[in-house]
Amino acid sequence: MIERELRSTISVPHAPEVVWAAVTDWSRQGEWMLGTRVWIAGGGGDRPGSELAAFTGVGSLGVLDTMRIEVWQPPEKCSVRHTGALVRGTGGFVVEPDAAGGSRFRWWERFELPTVFAVGWPLAAPAVEWGLRRSLRSFVAFCRNYETEWGER
C-alpha cells in the first residue's frame, strides 16, 4: 500500500459558519463538486460515525466512495475515512477565519493505493488535482448563493 496526498486551499469571502453550512450540506455537494453526487448513508451526517456515500462519474460509469465521519468540529474541521473497495484512505477539510472577515478553506485527501495503482498515479494526479481546484472555485460561487439561502432560514 502506498499513500498519495492532495491538498488545495482557497479563500472564500464568507464567514466560516456559512462556509461550514455550505460544505456540510451533503446532498448539495453535487452542485459544486465536479461530477459527484453525495448522500448520507447512515446517521445524521453531522457527527462522528455517520456514513456518507459519493458517486463520481458520468451516468452509471464511475466510482462509489463510501466514507465514515471520524472528526466533526463545527465550524472548523471534518475528516472522513474512505471505506470503499476502490477509494481508501482519509480526507477532510478545515475552515479558518481570515483577516478580511472571510474564510480560508483547505481540502485534503490522503489516498491509500495498492502498488499496482500507485504506478499510474503520476498520470492520474494532474487530472485529479485539476478537478479538485475547479470544484473549489465552484464552491466559492456556491457559497455566494448559499449565504443568501442560509440567512433566510
Side-chain angles (χ1 to χ4, degrees), residues 9-77:
T9 301
I10 196 161
S11 293
V12 184
H14 303 282
E17 295 77 14
V18 172
V19 174
W20 178 267
V23 73
T24 60
D25 191 340
W26 307 118
S27 65
R28 294 189 64 190
Q29 269 197 9
E31 294 179 39
W32 57 270
M33 183 67 69
L34 185 63
T36 300
R37 184 171 53 93
V38 179
W39 62 95
I40 298 169
D46 60 354
R47 62 187 162 275
S50 291
E51 297 175 353
L52 306 171
F55 180 82
T56 302
V58 178
S60 61
L61 184 60
V63 175
L64 178 64
D65 179 10
T66 57
M67 297 160 266
R68 183 181 58 255
I69 296 175
E70 292 189 328
V71 175
W72 183 263
Q73 297 174 345
E76 61 189 59
K77 185 194 278 188

Side-chain angles (χ1 to χ4, degrees), residues 1-5 86-89 110-122:
M1 199 64 66
I2 296 173
E3 286 190 358
R4 294 293 183 254
E5 186 169 290
L86 289 176
V87 182
R88 307 286 296 176
R110 188 173 300 122
F111 300 108
E112 297 169 358
L113 303 172
T115 305
V116 69
F117 290 137
V119 172
W121 181 250

